[in-house]
Amino acid sequence: MSSQWWSDDDQLLEQLRDALSTARELPAGFVEVGKAAYAWRTIDAELAALTYDSAWDAEELTLTRAESAVLRTLTFSSDALTIELELTPHEVLGQISPPQRGTARLATESLGTDVDDVGTAPIDDLGFFIVRPAPNHPFRLVCQTAAGVTVLTGWISP
């Protein structure tokens, strides 16, 4: 490159415009393959099965005069962890068992992949975590422990 390139602002701006327009011209299939590859990042996560949902008890309570509770309780089980959740209108409270440090992340579906984080919280020594605010649309929970265990719940509809 000649020294003229650095002294000519118009040529520099033209080169930059060309570089930016080239970067935007990605084939749509290439972008979709990238998104699909990113979706596989949790493929090694163990899927926890829903073993209890307090909404199941709601059918029995419809025969009584009591108001239904605002709190919803869910339990997910896997070989590595048991995850107990309480959903309130404002937060998601949880505990993992056996208790250990880690990170809890709520994710929602975006273009076929669960990549939009809606909240992340640390898991303390006792296995407790609180994620605020609670999402008002379907989400899933990804728990990653300090020991390297990753457990993924199924989709949760608030």
Side-chain angles (χ1 to χ4, degrees):
M1 300 212 160
S2 68
S3 60
Q4 181 184 8
W5 186 82
W6 290 105
S7 62
D8 186 359
D9 290 341
D10 291 332
Q11 189 177 2
L12 174 61
L13 289 174
E14 185 180 329
Q15 293 282 335
L16 290 172
R17 257 189 244 107
D18 184 47
L20 289 174
S21 67
T22 303
R24 290 187 187 125
E25 296 172 4
L26 291 175
F30 186 77
V31 173
E32 292 304 315
V33 168
K35 288 179 182 179
Y38 186 71
W40 279 80
R41 74 193 183 290
T42 56
I43 194 66
D44 291 332
E46 186 174 352
L47 185 61
L50 179 63
T51 56
Y52 176 76
D53 186 345
S54 61
W56 297 338
D57 298 335
E59 296 169 5
E60 296 173 18
L61 295 176
T62 57
L63 302 175
T64 66
R65 294 184 183 182
E67 292 182 20
S68 61
V70 177
L71 182 71
R72 181 175 171 201
T73 306
L74 302 158
T75 303
F76 292 90
S77 298
S78 72
D79 289 340
L81 296 175
T82 298
I83 304 168
E84 295 184 18
L85 296 177
E86 292 181 355
L87 307 179
T88 72
H90 307 292
E91 58 196 7
V92 176
L93 300 109
Q95 182 179 18
I96 61 170
S97 181
Q100 51 194 299
R101 291 178 100 25
T103 304
R105 179 174 59 91
L106 302 182
T108 61
E109 188 172 24
S110 173
L111 300 173
T113 62
D114 56 322
V115 296
D116 287 345
D117 289 347
V118 291
T120 302
I123 302 173
D124 67 15
D125 291 333
L126 300 174
F128 287 102
F129 60 91
I130 300 173
V131 182
R132 292 183 182 107
N136 57 3
H137 47 283
F139 66 94
R140 60 192 328 173
L141 175 72
V142 181
C143 288
Q144 294 176 313
T145 68
V149 174
T150 303
V151 176
L152 176 71
T153 67
W155 290 102
I156 302 166
S157 295

